[in-house]
Amino acid sequence: MSSPAPILISGAGIGGLAAALALAQRGFAAHVLEKRAGPAEEGAGIQIGPNGVHILRQLGVAGALAPLTASPDSLYIMDGVAGRELTRLPLGTTIETRHGAPYWTAHRADVHSTLLAAAQNEPLISVSFGSDVIAAQSHEDRVRLHLSDGSELDGAALIAAEGLWSTTRGSLFKSAPPVHSGSCAYRAVIPADRLPGGLSAGSTHIWLAPSAHGGHYPVRAGQEIAIVVILEGRAIVAGWGTDIAAAQIQDRFANAPSPLRELISRPASWRGWPLMKLPTPTAWNEGRIALLGDAAHPVLPFLAQGAVMALEDSVVLADRLAHSPQAIAGALAQYARERVPRTSRVARASRHNGRIYHLAGPFAAARNAVLRTGSPQRLLASFDWLYGWRAPAGDQDLR
């Protein structure tokens, strides 16, 4: 079922491109507008649980992306103070058998470039770089966008996939701006052969410490290792990609266990950004305009589900529009109603994980005892609600 005018999508990140592909599968033309002059997806590693891999399969991009990913065989949870292994969760074939799809780790740029190539090869999708949407109005029969160059553009609907600092959310929904969560993230990537001895290049590791944690996992088919460190403390410059001197990170881990300290010493430089949150919930839709991904529900990274939530959004949104192509405003309202409970639960669970990761003193000792004595299989099963999500009936690949 096709619409008389294209669905306009503001933002050519992972969420915006996934939405365009999902809409095209259902016969909708989509026009993606990106304010940057060209493709430049920043960041480093990204983790994609089985719920996300299922969607990448539905979008028809999993085959192209798979050779660029890794499938870690285990998740090691480590005591970042004493250096001991607390527990080890099976991933690899275990999680794939459990959920019908693997757990992937990848470089964010590889995921983005794969989605962009698929969108640019789809006749129903057009992508325009250097197109900055500064305002939008929803009318009874269309939306009208105002671009920074003074031009206007009409479409059947607007999907604002503009990320955390969404212009549409701030102007149309009068949302308060994001505020600092109290933590900052720092990322780096090193060649896999520079991983310190004793650490598995084919596994994911999380190191738990007071007011901090670190993680590392394979990317780019295991040829590189992505490292992420979350530290509680003052905010740094807003946005992605602030250069951070290596010594600033190394100093925070001067007393860490030897393998972690050595790992932190490997990168020559880091990039960092503050972790932000919205102070109050915001509306997701108004008439023919709807938010998607971080524009609607920024999620702290303690469950590694931010990008995957945008993927889930994309297929639900496309399905609702396909079911009600003549009632676009109602379809977008239904999309929002369906997604709010799911994304809210993920956000709560992410915050809870962050508190657990950063415990100190007796509380950390109690956490460590539970992890050491508990069943890894039971802990893995506690994430079934997350990784076992499937797109609603009708959200399957129509090609």
Side-chain angles (χ1 to χ4, degrees), residues 105-396:
T105 53
H107 197 290
R108 192 179 188 94
D110 292 338
V111 178
H112 183 260
S113 62
T114 300
L115 288 166
L116 178 60
Q120 291 176 325
N121 287 327
E122 169 55 63
L124 286 173
I125 299 174
S126 59
V127 182
S128 297
F129 290 97
S131 298
D132 187 8
V133 177
I134 60 173
Q137 292 98 33
S138 176
H139 301 281
E140 185 176 348
D141 60 343
R142 71 191 187 285
V143 294
R144 174 159 292 176
L145 306 188
H146 301 269
L147 306 185
S148 60
D149 62 5
S151 62
E152 297 178 347
L153 186 64
D154 287 350
L158 170 65
I159 309 306
E162 301 162 340
L164 175 67
W165 301 99
S166 171
T167 299
T168 301
R169 184 189 67 230
S171 61
L172 190 66
F173 299 103
K174 307 302 180 186
S175 169
V179 297
H180 186 223
S181 69
S183 297
C184 297
Y186 307 88
R187 291 181 182 267
V189 178
I190 61 172
D193 60 12
R194 298 204 63 209
L195 190 70
L199 299 178
S200 169
S203 301
T204 294
H205 295 68
I206 298 177
W207 298 79
L208 310 182
S211 303
H213 81 276
H216 50 98
Y217 48 85
V219 299
R220 293 190 159 153
Q223 298 303 304
E224 297 179 353
I225 301 296
I227 308 172
V228 60
V229 171
I230 309 293
L231 301 176
E232 295 181 12
R234 67 179 181 85
I236 57 177
V237 177
W240 287 77
T242 302
D243 291 329
I244 305 296
Q248 288 186 253
I249 310 302
Q250 293 167 8
D251 288 349
R252 289 290 297 267
F253 289 88
N255 298 317
S258 177
L260 178 58
R261 188 173 66 252
E262 289 182 35
L263 176 72
I264 298 299
S265 74
R266 294 296 198 260
S269 63
W270 296 73
R271 306 192 86 183
W273 63 98
L275 298 180
M276 310 296 288
K277 60 184 180 180
L278 288 178
T280 56
T282 187
W284 282 36
N285 71 288
E286 180 176 301
R288 290 172 174 255
I289 300 174
L291 305 176
L292 182 144
D294 280 353
H297 49 77
V299 178
L300 293 173
F302 305 117
L303 271 182
Q305 281 281 306
V308 177
M309 287 300 100
L311 292 175
E312 289 186 5
D313 286 351
S314 71
V315 293
V316 174
L317 181 144
D319 187 68
R320 295 304 151 251
L321 287 172
H323 277 82
S324 304
Q326 305 306 317
I328 288 178
L332 295 179
Q334 178 62 27
Y335 146 76
R337 284 193 295 271
E338 289 189 27
R339 291 299 295 158
V340 165
R342 167 77 170 170
T343 56
S344 296
R345 184 179 183 184
V346 170
R348 289 193 302 271
S350 295
R351 293 192 299 269
H352 177 73
N353 259 20
R355 291 190 292 269
I356 296 296
Y357 287 177
H358 292 185
L359 291 173
F363 295 105
R367 173 202 64 201
N368 293 350
V370 170
L371 288 171
R372 283 196 304 268
T373 60
S375 162
Q377 290 290 347
R378 181 173 295 177
L379 182 56
L380 187 65
S382 71
F383 293 100
D384 283 352
W385 69 271
L386 182 66
Y387 300 137
W389 186 90
R390 296 291 181 273
D395 285 351
Q396 305 303 314

